Amino acid sequence: MNFADLGLSDELLRAVNESGYTEPTAIQAQAIPSVLMMRDLVGIAQTGTGKTASFVLPMIDILAEGRSRARMPRSLILEPTRELAAQVAENFEKYGKYHKLSMALLIGGVQMGDQVKALEKGVDVLIATPGRLMDLFGRGKIMLNDCTLLVIDEADRMLDMGFIPDIEEICTKLPANRQTLLFSATMPAPIKKLADKFLSNPKQIEVARPASTNLQIEARIVECTARNKKDVLIDLLRADDMRTAIVFSNRKTTVRDLSQSLSRVGFKAGQIQGDMDQSERIRELDRFKNGDITVLVASDVAARGLDVKGVSHVFNYDVPWHPDDYVHRIGRTGRAGATGKAFTLATADDAEAVANIEKLTGTKIERVSGGQRAASGSDPQPTDEKPKRVPRAKAESKVPAAPRAKAEPKAPAAPRTERPEPSSRPVARMVHDEEPDDGWNGPLPGFLSVKLGS
C-alpha cells in the first residue's frame, strides 16, 4: 500500500513524496481513510508509529474545502506540551505547503503582542496547549463555535498532567456536531470514560497492545549502585555503536549536574528541562537535531512525542516513577522501522519500580551488570569495578581526590541522595518538573500565526 491508495489529494501526495515518504505506517493506513470519511476515531498507538501524520494529512484535505471566519478556528488540536504543539505545527507547514491554509500556534513562553490580532482574522488550524487555550478563552479573545474538528493528542499524558477537566470544559465549548479524534499510547479508565462521553460511535484502531514496547528496541536493565551509577553511564556512552543518545532523569537538578559532568569528561552534551525558557529549550533541541551535541540529558518534559531522527540509544539514568513514562522515554529510539537500544540504570532500591514497568509492558527485561560490555551484549563487567574512577573524580570537581576518597566510605547518606523520594513525593516532583506552560503558572500565552502555501 502507498499513500495514493488512501484517498489523499494530489497536492498532498506531492508534499508527502517530497518529504521522503512513500508507504504509510500501520496507524496511518488505518486512520487516514476513516478520518476522511468524517468518522470519530480512537487511535491507540505507541510512540514512533507516525501517529501525527495520521491526523495531520487528512485534516489538510478536509480543511482545504472550506474557509476560515473571523475569530473562529475551524479545527483544534490539543497537545500536552509546547514541544509537541510546535512539532505538529511543523508537520502542517511541511505537508500543507501546496494548500492555502492558515495555522496558529497557541503556547506559553512566547510574546503575545500584536500576534493576538491574527486570531481575529480566523484560522483554519489552531494548535494549542489546554492551559493557554483556556487562558485566552477566558480573556474573550477566541470563539470555538465554528470548530468542527477536534484532535485530542497524547490523551494519557493529558491525564498524567491533570488536563482532563480542562479538556472536558473545552469540549463543551465546541459544537456538539463535530468530528473528534483521540490518540493515546495507553487507554486507562479515565481516558475511556472521556472517549465514551465526547466521541460518537468512534472507530477504534490499535496498532500495538496498550503500553507495549517497540520490538525494534533492545532493552536492558543495567544493575548498578547509586555510587557508581555515573561511571556506568559514562562507560555505556562510550560504546562503539553509540551515535546519539537521550539520557532521562527524574529531577531537573540531576539533569543540570549530569549534563555538566558529561561535558567535562569529553562528551558533546546538552540539556532540556523545565526550568529552561522556551527559546533555550528549542535551541538545545535544534543543536541535538543538527548534530552539534550528541548526548541530550532531559527530564520527562521531553519524553513524549519528540521526533528526532537517528537516536541510537536511550538511557534512563533514573528509573521513571510512573511505568507509562518508561514506554514513552524509550520510544525516542527505534523509530520508523529503525533499531535502537534502551538501558535503564537500576539500583536495588528500584526493584519495585522495575517490577511495575515489567507488569505494565508484559515483558521480562534482561538484566546485565553495569559497564561498557553491557552495551554490546558481551560478558558483563562487574558493577563495582571502577577503573577510571580517580581520573574522572579529579576532572569533575576541584576538591582534592584524597579527602574525597576518605570521606566516601564514611558517608552512608551519599547513596540516598540518588534514590527516588517516598511515594507521596514523586507525583508532586513530576508535575513540578513539567514546563511552566503545562499548567496555569507559566508566562502569558503567546500566539504564532503562519500562512501555509505562501
Side-chain angles (χ1 to χ4, degrees):
M1 176 181 289
N2 55 44
F3 282 101
D5 299 324
L6 302 180
L8 299 171
S9 66
D10 291 340
E11 294 85 358
L12 197 53
L13 291 174
R14 179 183 173 191
V16 170
N17 184 62
E18 290 177 357
S19 299
Y21 299 105
T22 56
E23 296 181 358
T25 64
I27 185 68
Q28 292 164 3
Q30 296 183 59
I32 289 175
S34 295
V35 177
L36 289 173
M37 294 171 62
M38 308 303 294
R39 287 199 60 177
D40 284 8
L41 184 143
V42 173
I44 304 173
Q46 62 193 28
T47 57
T49 56
K51 169 176 55 67
T52 302
S54 70
F55 61 82
V56 167
L57 294 178
M59 282 181 68
I60 291 174
D61 271 352
I62 291 172
L63 296 171
E65 299 180 1
R67 56 182 299 178
S68 59
R69 296 170 55 187
R71 301 180 67 186
M72 293 279 195
R74 297 172 56 209
S75 64
L76 171 64
I77 300 174
L78 294 174
E79 295 288 343
T81 68
R82 304 173 187 176
E83 280 79 12
L84 287 172
Q87 185 168 297
V88 172
E90 290 176 0
N91 273 260
F92 264 100
E93 289 181 321
K94 178 170 61 176
Y95 299 127
K97 61 183 179 180
Y98 297 118
H99 291 77
K100 295 181 179 180
L101 298 175
S102 58
M103 174 192 67
L105 179 63
L106 181 59
I107 58 176
V110 180
Q111 291 292 329
M112 186 184 297
D114 295 335
Q115 293 180 337
V116 175
K117 297 178 181 178
L119 186 59
E120 298 177 355
K121 300 177 182 178
V123 294
D124 297 299
V125 185
L126 178 61
I127 306 166
T129 51
R132 297 311 118 200
L133 179 63
M134 292 297 295
D135 195 345
L136 197 60
F137 190 90
R139 295 167 184 258
K141 300 296 185 180
I142 188 170
M143 298 177 67
L144 301 174
N145 305 47
D146 202 38
C147 183
T148 57
L149 204 167
L150 169 67
V151 177
I152 304 171
D153 195 18
E154 299 281 354
D156 52 350
R157 184 60 163 170
M158 298 279 200
L159 174 65
D160 291 343
M161 297 167 67
F163 281 147
I164 297 302
D166 285 345
I167 292 174
E168 291 179 337
E169 185 173 354
I170 290 168
C171 287
T172 64
K173 300 180 185 301
L174 273 65
N177 185 24
R178 66 173 185 274
Q179 182 180 13
T180 304
L181 315 176
L182 184 148
F183 292 88
S184 185
T186 61
M187 190 55 65
I191 299 303
K192 187 178 186 307
K193 182 178 178 181
L194 181 72
D196 291 342
K197 183 176 181 180
F198 292 107
L199 277 69
S200 176
N201 190 29
K203 178 175 181 179
Q204 181 161 318
I205 296 172
E206 184 175 344
V207 298
R209 185 177 59 82
S212 65
T213 52
N214 190 336
L215 296 178
Q216 297 293 105
I217 301 172
E218 179 184 324
R220 289 193 175 108
I221 299 294
V222 182
E223 298 172 337
C224 59
T225 65
R227 182 171 295 169
N228 77 342
K229 184 189 284 189
K230 186 181 295 183
D231 291 335
V232 170
L233 174 65
I234 290 173
D235 282 343
L236 292 169
L237 285 169
R238 286 174 172 159
D240 293 337
D241 62 344
M242 210 296 292
R243 300 184 304 275
T244 56
I246 301 179
V247 180
F248 286 107
S249 174
N250 294 342
R251 302 176 177 87
K252 292 179 287 188
T253 52
T254 307
V255 170
R256 287 191 290 267
D257 295 343
L258 194 56
S259 174
Q260 294 169 4
S261 295
L262 293 176
S263 296
R264 282 196 292 266
V265 297
F267 291 100
K268 294 189 291 183
Q271 62 173 300
I272 175 172
Q273 37 86 6
D275 280 345
M276 300 168 63
D277 63 38
Q278 183 70 0
S279 60
E280 290 177 317
R281 290 158 66 173
I282 292 175
R283 183 166 59 249
E284 287 293 271
L285 284 173
D286 287 342
R287 291 178 63 206
F288 187 56
K289 290 179 180 179
N290 297 333
D292 297 332
I293 58 177
T294 56
V295 179
L296 181 66
V297 188
S299 60
D300 279 291
V301 73
R304 297 193 180 216
L306 295 181
D307 187 5
V308 181
K309 294 182 179 179
V311 176
S312 63
H313 288 65
V314 165
F315 297 94
N316 290 314
Y317 187 75
D318 297 318
V319 178
W321 284 313
H322 300 294
D324 280 349
D325 286 326
Y326 172 82
V327 177
H328 294 285
R329 285 183 181 186
I330 71 171
R332 299 309 98 216
T333 187
R335 300 175 72 84
T339 59
K341 292 185 177 182
F343 296 98
T344 300
L345 279 61
T347 68
D349 292 333
D350 297 318
E352 182 178 354
V354 171
N356 289 336
I357 290 171
E358 293 180 325
K359 180 179 179 181
L360 179 73
T361 61
T363 59
K364 180 71 173 178
I365 306 173
E366 179 185 354
R367 268 71 166 172
V368 295
S369 296
Q372 194 169 25
R373 299 180 193 178
S376 61
S378 57
D379 294 336
Q381 177 177 318
T383 55
D384 54 357
E385 180 182 346
K386 301 187 281 281
K388 300 179 182 179
R389 180 67 176 180
V390 174
R392 275 199 294 271
K394 291 181 178 179
E396 293 176 12
S397 174
K398 296 181 180 180
V399 180
R404 288 188 61 183
K406 293 178 180 179
E408 286 183 2
K410 298 178 181 180
R416 285 197 293 270
T417 61
E418 299 288 344
R419 296 176 185 172
E421 303 193 8
S423 58
S424 61
R425 295 292 298 279
V427 174
R429 283 293 190 90
M430 183 71 76
V431 173
H432 179 68
D433 201 32
E434 297 298 341
E435 57 196 319
D437 174 62
D438 294 338
W440 290 91
N441 300 320
L444 290 176
F447 197 91
L448 173 64
S449 182
V450 179
K451 193 74 174 181
L452 306 182
S454 57

